[in-house]
């Protein structure tokens, strides 16, 4: 369950809440696994091209807004945005996208594959969740935590949604690091009692838990290895 499959799991979980939805609005990023994540989940990606501002490719907010109106909110599963990416594309305008998602009542899933390493990306997520709507954000374990088998952390600000995703997962979340106990409204991240804390875990567990502290953003999380 690396980033792409974890995104698929988020989309499949949202499907139960939005049975009519067929489309995912996706500000373009040229990375295959996040594109395939939408197809695998059975949705039609609606690609919104970025606009060139100076030497940067930035989110075309007007085009996203037009698509939301054109397709109709109930037909849209979510907006699938991205923080970390390759230049010249800069992170999506998360605050504005999150605000639009809240306005139209459309879920918002953020691919932040590399983002947990970047205070700028984490700040964008915090701000987005503060001013608007972010339902889940997904970060890669192999990229950020050097986990050799691949994996991802699905995090969010609503404990019950993260639990729903956890229930959809056809396997067990990582022992000792399962989702954070339900906390409506999102409390600050706390470590779940796990092997690492008890001193029985391997050093990888420990390093993941230590790094998770750096979220500091009120998120709850679900750790998926393999
Ligand atoms: C934006 C983006 N999404 C997803 C991925 C895939 O991440 P993973 O290695 O966890 O599958 C990458 C990896 O380069 C990426 O850059």
């Amino acid at each position: 369950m690396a980033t792409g499959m974890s995104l698929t799991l988020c989309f499949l979980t949202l499907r139960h809440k939005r049975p009519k939805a067929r489309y995912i609005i996706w500000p373009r990023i040229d990375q295959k696994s996040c594109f395939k994540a939408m197809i695998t989940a059975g949705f039609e990606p609606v690609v919104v091209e970025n606009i060139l501002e100076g030497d940067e490719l930035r989110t075309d907010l007007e085009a996203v807004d037009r698509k939301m109106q054109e397709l109709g909110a109930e037909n849209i599963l979510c907006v699938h945005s991205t923080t970390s990416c390759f230049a010249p594309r800069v992170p999506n305008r998360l605050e504005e996208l999150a605000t639009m998602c809240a306005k139209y009542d459309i879920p918002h899933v953020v691919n932040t594959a590399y983002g947990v390493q970047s205070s700028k990306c984490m700040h964008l997520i915090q701000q987005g969740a503060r001013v608007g709507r972010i339902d889940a954000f997904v970060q890669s374990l192999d990229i950020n935590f050097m986990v050799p088998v691949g994996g991802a952390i699905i995090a969010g600000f609503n404990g019950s949604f993260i639990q729903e995703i956890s229930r959809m997962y056809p396997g067990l979340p990582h022992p000792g690091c399962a989702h954070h106990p339900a906390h409506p409204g999102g409390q600050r991240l706390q470590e779940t009692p796990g092997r690492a804390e008890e001193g029985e875990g391997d050093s990888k567990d420990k390093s993941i838990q230590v790094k998770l502290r750096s979220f500091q953003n009120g998120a709850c999380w679900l750790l998926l290895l393999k």
Side-chain angles (χ1 to χ4, degrees):
M1 287 292 293
T3 307
M5 283 300 288
S6 298
L7 287 165
T8 298
L9 194 62
C10 294
F11 302 145
L12 291 174
T13 308
L14 283 173
R15 186 168 66 176
H16 294 284
K17 296 176 181 290
R18 302 175 75 79
K20 280 182 73 183
R22 283 180 46 208
Y23 304 104
I24 296 179
I25 295 183
W26 186 56
R28 178 173 164 174
I29 169 165
D30 292 341
Q31 206 280 341
K32 249 190 187 167
S33 59
C34 38
F35 182 69
K36 283 158 76 179
M38 297 179 281
I39 308 276
T40 305
F43 294 95
E44 191 175 316
V46 175
V47 183
V48 176
E49 294 295 335
N50 298 296
I51 42 177
L52 190 61
E53 284 180 17
D55 58 358
E56 296 178 340
L57 283 172
R58 305 222 60 175
T59 320
D60 188 343
L61 294 168
E62 281 176 20
V64 172
D65 193 285
R66 269 198 307 278
K67 282 288 172 207
M68 286 175 169
Q69 296 192 36
E70 211 175 278
L71 299 170
E74 72 278 13
N75 298 314
I76 301 168
L77 183 84
C78 65
V79 169
H80 173 195
S81 64
T82 315
T83 60
S84 52
C85 51
F86 311 108
R89 190 192 186 284
V90 293
N92 278 141
R93 293 185 185 276
L94 283 207
E95 275 185 55
E96 293 87 340
L97 287 175
T99 306
M100 283 157 69
C101 285
K103 176 176 155 200
Y104 291 107
D105 197 20
I106 296 172
H108 185 190
V109 175
V110 182
N111 173 7
T112 183
Y114 292 89
V116 75
Q117 314 240 13
S118 154
S119 57
K120 179 170 179 195
C121 291
M122 296 315 284
H123 177 73
L124 283 174
I125 290 170
Q126 278 179 11
Q127 283 296 100
R130 198 176 59 78
V131 301
R133 178 167 180 171
I134 291 182
D135 295 72
F137 55 101
V138 179
Q139 35 271 301
S140 170
L141 277 180
D142 44 317
I143 292 169
N144 296 293
F145 300 106
M146 312 301 278
V147 175
V149 291
I153 299 165
I154 301 176
F157 299 91
N158 178 332
S160 61
F161 181 55
I162 299 301
Q163 278 189 354
E164 276 177 56
I165 299 174
S166 168
R167 279 196 289 271
M168 286 282 287
Y169 178 58
L172 289 175
H174 192 246
C177 298
H179 59 74
H180 188 270
H183 45 92
Q187 303 162 357
R188 209 180 136 156
L189 176 79
Q190 292 160 13
E191 290 160 312
T192 47
R195 288 181 300 152
E197 277 176 283
E198 288 157 13
E200 294 166 18
D202 56 27
S203 58
K204 202 191 301 149
D205 276 353
K206 194 157 241 162
S207 95
I208 289 169
Q209 295 222 0
V210 168
K211 285 187 183 170
L212 277 170
R213 286 198 201 114
S214 67
F215 271 73
Q216 304 257 321
N217 61 0
C220 48
W221 51 279
L222 167 68
L223 181 62
L224 302 171
L225 282 177
K226 282 198 272 210

